[in-house]
Amino acid sequence: MLVLPLLLEATLLQLASGSYHPFYNGFYYNHIMNDKGNGQEKVVSFNGAKLVVETPKDPVYSSSSANVTLPCHYHYEPDLEAKRKIRIKWSKLRDDYTKEQDVLVAIGKTYLAFGDFRGRAHLHQTGRREASLVISDVRLQDDGKYRCEVIDGLEDESDVVDLRLQGIVFPYQPPRGQYRLNFHEAEQVCQEQGAILATFNQLFQAWSEGLDWCNAGWLADGTVQYPIRQPRKPCGGLHLAPGIRSYGPRHRHLHRFDAFCFSSALKGEVFYLDRPAGMTLEEAKQSCQDVGAEITRVGQLYSAWKFLGLDRCDAGWLADGSIRYPIVKPRANCGPAEPGVRSFGFPSKGRFGVFCYKER
């Protein structure tokens, strides 16, 4: 009785393993020369109808820990009732649309999810000819482009949907100072601060919202860039227009820069604790634990500032040993005239309050 399930799983795995033609039957079928001999192509549909796959042209927005549906529907022109079980494949793509990873494959109502998507991804097929993908407990690394591919025998068509997480990009330097991180270390410090390395699209969005930072940092694709709103001499020169300055791809082991990290909305809350005499870093960590919380990471503070409106004109410890405070409404004695997260760096000694984080 185990033979049929095993054969079905083997078929799904074979469907997922195709690197270019996910369903290959020994010959290429869907493009031939036209009868006029002028080099133009026309599509030939073996079943007499054209398979059309449609996804939203606008991005689908979500946030960390939420559930999201990536819509995908298909139909035939002219209308035709499929005689076979439709095969569906979802893949996550790189920004250049090349394949990055398999997400899910399905035949009929049976599906198989892969890697980090196992247990989090399934098909939503309540409507006729629907192949939508549902991702639960969305993670930061889920941000990106997804290809919905529908296969009906010899017919194979696809379309792409863009999932964007609502989040915030923040520059990060380690305690050792400026330009001390290679690419892999930059990945690690972002993860330690509740974030991931930002993509170019995320950095561009942050720049369009006002981010101006004159230190170059790693991005997720291995390039090094920095956003400039106000051109100035130390930041590429006065003659360059505002925009994203790029050093291009750099050696991931040898070259050292800062990092641009990306964090999304929080499942919990950030709050401030203090004592009359202040606290050392170790005392601050313990104080958070005493109230069932943990000391806040940098990405969590930025997210609370942007999405929860956290505004506190009191400096406090964070998990990386830095001292920071978030300001939504600038005022006297609370730093510059612009909103932002202020930093006092990484003091080797001193007594301060602490920002704690507690999940709901």
Side-chain angles (χ1 to χ4, degrees):
M1 296 298 293
L2 293 176
V3 174
L4 287 177
L6 289 174
L7 285 174
L8 180 57
E9 182 170 348
T11 303
L12 290 170
L13 288 170
Q14 184 179 17
L15 177 63
S17 64
S19 60
Y20 187 78
H21 291 276
F23 181 71
Y24 176 63
N25 56 12
F27 62 95
Y28 302 110
Y29 58 90
N30 60 336
H31 292 286
I32 64 173
M33 303 299 291
N34 67 15
D35 295 333
K36 298 179 181 179
N38 58 8
Q40 297 179 353
E41 292 183 338
K42 67 176 181 179
V43 175
V44 175
S45 302
F46 280 81
N47 59 13
K50 178 184 177 183
L51 174 63
V52 178
V53 176
E54 296 177 324
T55 61
K57 302 308 176 188
D58 294 327
V60 175
Y61 289 90
S62 186
S63 59
S64 181
S65 303
N67 300 332
V68 66
T69 299
L70 304 183
C72 179
H73 297 81
Y74 63 94
H75 65 272
Y76 297 89
E77 297 177 353
D79 194 25
L80 177 74
E81 201 62 48
K83 297 180 180 180
R84 293 167 293 270
K85 285 187 176 181
I86 298 298
R87 304 162 188 258
I88 297 168
K89 177 181 178 182
W90 279 90
S91 303
K92 190 170 187 290
L93 308 177
R94 296 187 178 92
D95 286 340
D96 61 2
Y97 287 83
T98 58
K99 178 181 170 184
E100 182 171 283
Q101 65 183 119
D102 294 319
V103 175
L104 177 146
V105 293
I107 299 177
K109 297 293 184 180
T110 303
Y111 68 90
L112 188 64
F114 298 92
D116 292 338
F117 293 96
R118 187 172 288 128
R120 296 195 301 124
H122 67 271
L123 285 182
H124 187 267
Q125 294 177 294
T126 56
R128 184 171 179 261
R129 296 175 179 171
E130 183 177 10
S132 302
L133 178 70
V134 177
I135 303 175
S136 58
D137 189 23
V138 170
R139 301 173 182 175
L140 292 174
Q141 56 266 33
D142 292 342
D143 183 280
K145 297 180 177 68
Y146 291 77
R147 184 184 300 280
C148 173
E149 195 164 9
V150 179
I151 305 160
D152 178 8
L154 297 175
E155 300 293 330
D156 179 355
E157 296 295 337
S158 65
D159 204 356
V160 173
V161 58
D162 192 3
L163 172 61
R164 296 186 187 176
L165 266 63
Q166 296 171 318
I168 182 170
V169 172
F170 60 93
Y172 188 83
Q173 291 180 4
R176 302 191 307 273
Q178 182 184 22
Y179 294 171
R180 297 299 182 94
L181 303 170
N182 66 27
F183 174 80
H184 304 288
E185 291 166 342
E187 282 188 314
Q188 182 178 347
V189 297
C190 287
Q191 291 172 6
E192 290 172 351
Q193 299 312 314
I196 59 173
L197 273 178
T199 66
F200 174 81
N201 287 338
Q202 290 165 346
L203 183 65
F204 183 86
Q205 179 66 30
W207 169 80
S208 68
E209 295 174 356
L211 181 61
D212 182 287
W213 195 256
C214 195
N215 293 336
W218 290 102
L219 297 182
D221 60 359
T223 61
V224 174
Q225 314 201 34
Y226 61 101
I228 294 298
R229 300 276 299 185
Q230 299 292 331
R232 47 203 184 273
K233 191 172 182 180
C235 308
L238 293 169
H239 62 287
L240 292 179
I244 307 295
R245 313 281 194 250
S246 177
Y247 290 176
R250 313 304 288 181
H251 196 288
R252 298 190 179 200
H253 292 284
L254 298 180
H255 292 152
R256 295 184 175 274
F257 297 93
D258 295 338
F260 286 105
C261 305
F262 174 81
S263 181
S264 187
L266 300 172
K267 291 190 291 185
E269 63 173 337
V270 173
F271 57 94
Y272 186 81
L273 290 179
D274 199 5
R275 294 178 183 172
M279 293 171 277
T280 66
L281 176 58
E282 294 306 314
E283 291 171 343
K285 292 178 180 178
Q286 186 60 52
S287 293
C288 291
Q289 294 175 10
D290 290 343
V291 295
E294 64 181 17
I295 189 168
T296 299
R297 293 182 281 182
V298 177
Q300 293 169 334
L301 186 67
Y302 271 96
S303 293
W305 167 72
K306 179 170 183 178
F307 297 107
L308 302 178
L310 184 63
D311 184 288
R312 184 87 192 199
C313 193
D314 296 293
W317 290 107
L318 296 184
D320 64 343
S322 64
I323 297 293
R324 306 176 194 247
Y325 63 99
I327 295 297
V328 174
K329 298 178 180 179
R331 50 202 182 272
N333 303 318
C334 295
E338 300 81 20
V341 175
R342 324 294 197 212
S343 176
F344 287 163
F346 300 84
S348 58
K349 58 183 179 179
R351 304 180 71 85
F352 303 90
V354 60
F355 288 97
C356 302
Y357 173 73
K358 187 174 185 178
E359 288 196 358
R360 296 189 183 93

